[in-house]
Structures are given as structure tokens and as C-alpha cells.
Amino acid sequence: MSAYFIEKDRRARLASVLLVIALMTIISGLFYHQIIRYKSFLAQSEENRIRIRPIIPKRGVIFDRNKEMIADNRLSFTVSIVPMEMAKEVTLPRLAGLTGADTSAIKQKLNANFISKYIPAAVLRDQDISVISALEENSEHFPGVTYSVESVRRYVEGISAETFIGYIAEVAPDEIDKESQWGYRPGRLIGKKGIEKAYDRELRGIEGTDFIEVSARGQIIGTYGGRERVPAVPGADLVLTIDAALQREIVRFYDSLQSSGGVVALDPTTGEILALASFPGLDPNLFSGVIPDDVWRSIIDDPRHPLLNRPTSSMYPPGSTAKLLTAGAALEKGVLTPETMLRGCGGGMRFGNRVFKCWQEQGHGRLDLYHAVEQSCNVYFYQVGQILGLDAWNEFAVKSGFGRKSGIDISGELSGIAPSRAYYDKAFGQNRWSKLLILNIAIGQGEFIVTPLQLTQFYAGLANGGKVFKPHLLKEIRYPGKAIQKIEPSLSFTLPFANNTISVLSRSLELVVQGDRGTAKGLRNKYYTIAGKTGTAQNPHGKDHSWFVGYAPSNDPKILVCALVENAGHGSEVAAPLAGKIIKRYLLGDSTHNVIAHNVAESLVSE
Amino acid sequence: MTVDYKSLDWKFVLATAGLSLIGILLIYSAHYDSSTGSSLNFYMRQSIWLLLAIILFNAVIHIPVRVIDFIAYPLYGLALLLLALVLVAGETRMGASRWFSLGFMSVSPSDIAKLALIVALSRFFAYTKLPPQSKRRLAFSAMLAFIPALLVMKQPDLGSSLVFVVLLFSLWFWSGLSPAYLILIISPLVSLVAAFHWVTWVIYLVLLIIFMLVLKPGILFGVIVFISNLAFGMITPFIWNHLEDYQKLRVITFLDPGRDPQRAGYQIIQSKIAIGSGGIIGKGYLEGSQSQLKFLPERHTDFVFSVLGEEFGFVGTLTVVLLFGFIFYRGIRIASRCRSKFTSNLVWGALTIIFFQFFVNVGMTFGLMPVTGLPLPFLSYGGTSLLLNWTLIGIIVLADYHRSEY
């Protein structure tokens, strides 16, 4: 029996050793978790119970140059889901039933806007107050559903605001950047176009943060005292150079035309854009809420491209408006004087073995430069182009701002094409193109294409003694508090023309309106003189596009208007009268019978 | 039978009582609501169970040893009957039929079976004349353990069925089986686990061969061991495919809790956060955010130790672990001083059950062990668990009281 006890003692000792090893294993495990990794676990436990609730700042309001509000915010209800608290089979179908939305659509939004399982993800925007009160009253039937008040953008209607303001919408996956200070988180709104996009950072302000304590079920226990609340910084308000009243009139004029096209109006002495409109337009309020898929489809599929911003992002041959560039270049090169009479126009002229036509079949006869511009004679400018040559033309075109972007402060601008030797070599092969291509370019047809904004810029230079100020839409940034940042005009470039060249060109532009045979003599009036040029852009796909670009008063320009009406025929027929009305509206106000306006007009005339 | 209370091992009983009281404190905290300043009535119920458990303990220490000896096999038979019955007539909760409802309480027959198996195995090893390595001895005792283990696995309750198997190995060891043989006998089970990846399996098999070359257990035995290792390893995929989904999930989660933090891994992650964030002295009683804000699941039952870790820190967990250590250390001494083989075996079996639950439960709270659903003895909420463990303590104290008797 004693052998049995000795054996038992040995086993008891072995067991004791194993016990000590087991206890040491547990104790070291506890030591590792509770002492070595204490900080990390403490942080995790804090993260568990503290929910960071973003405070969305008020988006800046946008005013026109006369402080008329053109974009502000209204309150709307956004329904969100806290993924952690959601009851899988219950929450989404019930929410869909309540709001009339599709369960799968809500699910898709939830996935797209998921940040973390504790943070509410926006699923339905701009919900009716009745939906919210139903949620409020039956919250226990909607586990995980919360709502928040958000501001929604509201734009003044009838001013083609979408053209320059653009719109805002939820961030797309590729715009999300959670890391950076300016990062956009899922579900946030971001400017997608125009001013809203260009100055998004100023407009949106800086998000604040609220720290609240929650239970595992997401029930809010209260404010978490351990960390200071960070208030949101509201977005800056913007004052634009746009004149909303003028913009409204332009929309009214244009609506009666029932055409596509665009208008740019600016102050040539500063580059401030007074009006920027594209037709057909879109109501930017469409985008502020939730845009239904079918509405979006119909916008995208519309053959008239309502989303296209024609003044900056659509390119057309400039037509006869380009003749001033041809003339200026030839004068500067010394191959032409204002008095030079070239061979007479008989409705066309043979170059090589081809006849190049003038727009007037009976011909213009022999003309000097002034009258060639006045009557927009193609034959005269074919000859100037031939004398000038492609290389010289291209040199002056590029220096005059063609073929490159103006640098306007909204995105999506195109640069047009100012053809060169290299361009043709590339398009047709080395020297495998006709030297006569310059003839068409000289009258603004062919491969020479421009945006309305580029043309505006060139004429602004002519109106302003050669100085071209960068076209811009922003006049002031009004930061919260008192700070106001004014945007000063900035010189973009100077036209490559000497002063007397510019005065010859301006003189000839005046003749277009004032001359007896001027193509825009219909714009003649007793209050002010307009200097401008009509243009007809040949359109292989249909009726020609109608151009007019001009400024007034011609001796002291206050406004320059560039009007393009697609498929409307001659510039003199549609675009010139339209531009005339715009200029009149701007210089004289809404009634010529208005005494003050009349007096202003009188003083303008007397200058 | 009269008992001289002065000669009882009071330190042993007090350590147990201390753990039970700590348990009630923690259960109170686990369901404390700071807005009302009160707790759900779990702690009250546990207090009543504790009173009942102490009365039961008092009854157990009055039982004459020969009565236990006498009822050993009838008790075992009854336990098997109940285990079979619960499969067809038991109350089903969370997909498992583990309980009989008696109205005021639920009885888990597997707890009764644990007690019955201790007594039955203790009796068998105390009186058998077969040498420890004898195949008949091993086979018969294995049969005693595997029948209840399989019935419990059917419920399904893998954690409890492991308790039976561990009890068998532990009593084999205590009743004289050479540790080396024990290792070789257990080795096929290790092979089962190692075979989850072929690289670990090959390394394991090589180590096994080296171990056998050193030990020289005899050609036939060695070959049988090696072949069963191969066989067990090869059926791993088959077993895996037949595991219940929740069992697979537990294995996967144990190996990689971060893999699915929302669901299966959630418990382990939250438990680790609770324990780790307690630091040295803890967040204070009723102040643990993991417990109070309900991030911690099953916090009055399986994860009561995590509440301790969060609110009382390393000081608290160390205290409880050392109290358990004291019980085991003293228990081992009691087992080795008992002059009767039967009572010594009883003590050893009781200790094994308490230790296994303790080790698996505490290990689970910080990811050392998989989640098995085994409660922490004396601390976790649960009436039958408390009654069983206090009965086991009663048996140990009883055996100690009669240590000089053969």
C-alpha cells in the first residue's frame, strides 16, 4: 500500500507542476491583455461607446452682383440607418413600405453610404414631414432608423442658373476621401458643376463633431463629456458677377426663340461675367433632392443635351466674326492697310480651280477694309487670308486666345482649335493638304472652331484697347465673421495688335451697325452706339448657326454680348436682334420710358 | 451521520464561498441599470441558489462514504436514462435540448451525469484488480465515459461532452496509468486537430515518431497508436463536414476572431476589450462601459469573468485566479492524503471537473480557448451549475474529513 502512496505523491507533484503552468498561462494572458495592451483596449472600449456625430455646416448662400439671393438652403429631413442596430429582415421592408421607396434601392444606398456600423448612413433624402412623424411615433417598429435635419439647396428659377451655378449631389465613390481634412465622406453633398463645384470648399464650410455615448444597441445615453464638442464652421457666402435680372431677361428672350444656343455677357473692362446662359437649360433644383432614375435618364438621353454648358463647353466655327482676327493679323503684318482695295467681289472668286462663294450672290464690288467688315464680304477676306498665309494667321490666332482655354473659374471648358501647319500635317499627312484651306479659315469656317467664351474674350480685347481680363464669375467671398475677399480683375493677356490697328477694327465694327449697308444696322438706336459683328457658322448637320458679338457704348464699353443661336441661319437675322435686346436691357433697364434710365441713356449718348 | 464541524477544511470552504459571493456581485453589476439604480433580479435568484447550494453542501458532507460507494452504479444508470430522455422530451433552447423544466428550475441532466461519472469511475478504479495499462481496464472505463459523452454530444453540447472525456483521462492518470502511455493514447485526438492543415500534421507525426522512439512502448502498441493517429488525421475533413454550423463557426472564430467581428467573433472581441480596458485596478464597480452599456454578451453567465476584468482590473482577475489556484492546490493535497482509493479518486474527479470548466471559461474570455459555453464555476449565473459545483466541493470536504479511513 505504501508503494501506492509514493506513486500518488509523485503524481500529485506532477499535477501541481501542471497546475502552476496552467495558472501561469492564464495569469500571463491576463497580464498581456490588462497591462501590456491596456491602452489599445481602453481606446477600443471608448470607441465602442462613443459615437461621433458629424455636424453638417450650413452651405454658403450665393448672391448675384446686386445682392439678389440666387441660391440658398431649405430644411429637409434625411432618413438614415445605423447598420449595427438594424433588424435585418424587418427594418428595410418596413421603411420601404412607409416611404414608398424600393427595398433594394434603400439597401443599395445603405451599402454605398456605409461608414461604420455605428454611424448612421443616409438612405432617403428630402422626406416628407408625415414620414418623419410616423417614424417618430413608431420608433420601436423601425429598429436602427434615425433621421436628421439637413439643408437642401434651393435655386432661384428662371435664370438658367444651372449654366453657371451648376448643382450639388451626393458624392460619387471616386470622390470619397476619408483621410484628408477636406475629405468627402459617403452620403455628403458635393458641388458637381459650375460655381458649386469650383468653390465647393468655400461653400461647404468645415464639419463639426459631436461626441455622444451610446449603448451596444445604439441607444443614446447622453453627451459624452470626455471630449470637447467641435462646432461646425458655416460655409462662406459668394457674390457672383452675374446680373440675375439680366439673366432672367435673357431666358425670357431666348425662350421665345425655341432654339438651342448660348449667351455670354461680360464687362470687357474687368472680365466680370454679367450673364452666362445655355439653352435648353435645366432646373438645378432637380438635383438637390433625390433625382429619380427615369428623370436622370431622360436628361442624359435628351438629343438637345440640356446638361451641356454651351458658352464654355461647345465649339462652333466662328463664321464672319473671325474676320476681325484675319484683318488685325494682316494689318499688323503690314500686308494690308485699312484703305487697301482688293479685287472686287462678284458673288464669288476663283482660287486655283475652285470657286469660293460670297454669301451675297450679286457680289459686293470693290471694297476697302472698313466696308468689307461692314458688309462682311467673304471675297475680300479670302484674299486677305491668301496674302496672310496660314502660319501668320495661326500666330495671331493663338496670341488672341484661340485654341486655348480662357481660364474661367468653372470647369468643363474646352479649348477650341486654331489650325496650324502641324495640325493639318497631322490630320491629312505631311503637306497633303491644300494651301487654300486658309481661305475658309480667314472667314471663320472650316477647321477653325471656338467656344462662345473665346470669341467673347477676343472682342472684349478689341473693346478694351487690347487688354483681355480673365473672364470670371466670382466677385466676392464673404467668410463667416466679417472677412470679405474681393476678386480683383486680372489681366489675362493683351491682343497682339497695336493701338491704331485696334482703332481701325473698332471703327469697322461700328460701321457694321452704323453703316448703311451694315449687316447689323437694325441695332442702330438713338441712345448708344453698338460695335459688333454678325456671323454665320456653316453647319454640315443642318441649318447654319447664328452669331452676334458686340459691345456698347462703343466709345466707352460697359457690356459685351456674345450670342449664339443654333440652326437659326444668318447672324443678322436672329443673334443680332437678340444681342441688341440684351444690351438695351442692360444699359437702359426694363423700360425706355423710365425717366432715370432715359437720363442715363442721354448722358451715355452725349459722351 | 454526525460531523464534527471543527475538523472540516474551512479555508477550502471559505475560498469557495468567497468566489460565490464575488459571482453575485458581478451578476448584480452585469445587469445593473444606472438610470434606475437597480439590477435585474438575476442576483437575487443566484443568492437563493447559493443558499440552496450551501444547504446541499451541508447535506453532502453528512453522507457516509459507503453510501456513495453503494449508489455509484445506480446513479450512473439513472444519469444515462435522463440523458437519453432529455433528447426526446427535453426543453429546446437555442437549438439544443439540454434541459428538463421543473417549473421553478431547469435541470440539466449532463450536470447530474458529470457527478455520476465521477462516482462510477472512482468506484471502478478503486476496486478493479486489473493493472493500469490493462486493455480491459482501459476499455471498460472508456465505455463508462463515452456513453454519456456521446449522448451529450447529441444534444448538441460539445463543451460538456469534452468534460466527460477529460474526466476519463484525468482519472486514468490518477489511478496509475503511465503519463507517457496517456500521451500516446490521447495522441490520436491531437492528430485530429493537427490535421486541419497538412503541414502541421506532418510536423506532428514526425514529433510523434520521435517521441515513440525515445519511449519504446512496445511494437504492437506503437503501431496501433501510429495507425490511429493516421486514421484520426484523415477523418478530420469528414468530421468537419459533419459539424453543426455553429460549431464550425466557433472553430473558425477561435482561430481568427477578427474575421467576422459583427457576428461570431463579436463575443470574443468584446470580451477582450472588456478585460483589456480594465487595466491594473479596473474601471470601478458598476463603472465598466463594456458591461454597463451591454457591449459584452452573456455577461452574467459565460462572460462573467470579463465583467470582473473590466471593473476590477488585473487585481481582480488575479485574486479570482489565485482563489481558484488555492482550491486546486489544496484539492490536490487532499486527494493525495486520502487513504481510501475511492475517496481519493472522488476528490480527483471533482477537481478535474472544476478545473476544466475554470480553465476553458477563463481562457475563452481572452481568446486562449474557443467559446464552448462552459460556465465559470461558482461565479457564473446558473442554479444547477452552482448546485453541482458545491456538491463537488462537498464531496472533496467529505473525503478530506474521512481521509484516514480506508
Side-chain angles (χ1 to χ4, degrees), chain A residues 502-538:
Chain A
I502 287 176
S503 48
V504 168
L505 297 178
S506 331
R507 172 84 197 98
S508 62
L509 286 175
E510 281 173 18
L511 266 180
V512 171
V513 178
Q514 306 299 331
D516 293 335
R517 292 165 182 259
T519 52
K521 64 185 178 202
L523 300 186
R524 210 183 294 166
N525 66 76
K526 59 178 175 171
Y527 304 111
Y528 48 82
T529 54
I530 298 177
K533 183 73 193 79
T534 55
T536 306
Q538 284 168 9

Side-chain angles (χ1 to χ4, degrees), chain A residues 570-582:
Chain A
H570 272 271
S572 53
E573 290 164 14
V574 185
L578 172 67
K581 282 199 246 179
I582 295 168

Side-chain angles (χ1 to χ4, degrees), chain B residues 49-343:
Chain B
W49 284 121
L50 181 56
L51 275 178
L52 292 175
I54 289 170
I55 291 168
L56 183 60
F57 163 80
N58 191 47
V60 168
I61 60 174
H62 284 86
I63 301 173
V65 174
R66 63 188 143 71
V67 171
I68 304 177
D69 194 325
F70 181 73
I71 62 162
Y73 289 128
L75 182 68
Y76 178 79
L78 178 71
L80 289 191
L81 196 67
L82 289 174
L83 282 178
L85 211 57
V86 80
L87 287 177
V88 286
E91 187 189 335
T92 305
R93 290 185 218 158
M94 293 180 281
S97 311
R98 297 180 187 170
W99 297 273
F100 283 123
S101 181
L102 295 184
F104 66 101
M105 68 180 286
S106 297
V107 176
S108 153
S110 74
D111 283 338
I112 297 172
K114 284 167 197 159
L115 193 62
L117 185 62
I118 294 174
V119 181
L121 284 176
S122 298
R123 190 175 193 284
F124 172 68
F125 288 129
Y127 298 115
T128 181
K129 295 282 185 288
L130 296 164
Q133 254 88 289
S134 135
K135 286 186 201 72
R136 276 175 57 199
R137 176 179 159 128
L138 294 176
F140 184 73
S141 52
M143 189 194 72
L144 283 180
F146 277 106
I147 293 172
L150 288 172
L151 286 170
V152 168
M153 207 193 278
K154 260 293 196 201
Q155 290 180 354
D157 183 358
L158 196 62
S160 284
S161 65
L162 272 177
V163 173
F164 296 101
V165 178
V166 167
L167 186 62
L168 173 70
F169 294 154
S170 178
L171 280 171
W172 270 350
F173 167 76
W174 189 242
S175 62
L177 184 63
S178 141
Y181 270 81
L182 187 58
I183 290 172
L184 288 180
I185 291 170
I186 297 172
S187 65
L189 291 179
V190 182
S191 172
L192 197 70
V193 176
F196 267 98
H197 196 280
W198 69 270
V199 174
T200 54
W201 195 44
V202 168
I203 293 172
Y204 165 77
L205 288 178
V206 171
L207 288 175
L208 182 72
I209 292 168
I210 294 169
F211 185 72
M212 286 201 285
L213 288 177
V214 173
L215 199 68
K216 300 196 177 66
I219 301 285
L220 184 64
F221 185 67
V223 169
I224 290 172
V225 165
F226 191 75
I227 287 174
S228 35
N229 266 281
L230 283 177
F232 271 68
M234 284 187 291
I235 61 165
T236 294
F238 178 77
I239 291 182
W240 176 249
N241 289 333
H242 280 78
L243 282 182
E244 298 287 330
D245 278 347
Y246 84 97
Q247 290 169 334
K248 284 187 190 173
L249 205 58
R250 278 179 177 177
V251 174
I252 293 171
T253 308
F254 170 60
L255 297 174
D256 181 12
R259 183 187 174 115
D260 188 4
Q262 282 275 45
R263 294 186 203 94
Y266 181 77
Q267 297 185 330
I268 296 173
I269 290 173
Q270 294 301 339
S271 171
K272 278 181 164 186
I273 293 175
I275 289 183
S277 64
I280 296 177
I281 57 161
K283 295 177 183 171
Y285 188 52
L286 305 179
E287 297 291 331
S289 62
Q290 287 290 103
S291 323
Q292 303 304 326
L293 299 176
K294 306 182 177 63
F295 288 101
L296 195 61
E298 310 284 341
R299 56 199 174 283
H300 64 300
T301 54
D302 293 1
F303 286 95
V304 75
F305 189 79
S306 314
V307 177
L308 173 77
E310 181 178 31
E311 301 196 340
F312 295 96
F314 186 62
V315 172
T317 54
L318 191 63
T319 305
V320 166
V321 169
L322 291 180
L323 275 174
F324 273 106
F326 174 77
I327 288 172
F328 301 135
Y329 173 72
R330 215 169 172 87
I332 292 172
R333 245 187 45 188
I334 292 171
S336 59
R337 342 191 255 211
C338 280
R339 310 206 71 177
S340 143
K341 274 192 186 179
F342 178 56
T343 53

Side-chain angles (χ1 to χ4, degrees), chain A residues 451-470:
Chain A
T451 66
L453 188 63
Q454 286 174 323
L455 204 57
T456 305
Q457 205 178 211
F458 177 69
Y459 276 81
L462 296 180
N464 198 40
K467 288 194 168 63
V468 177
F469 287 95
K470 186 172 278 182

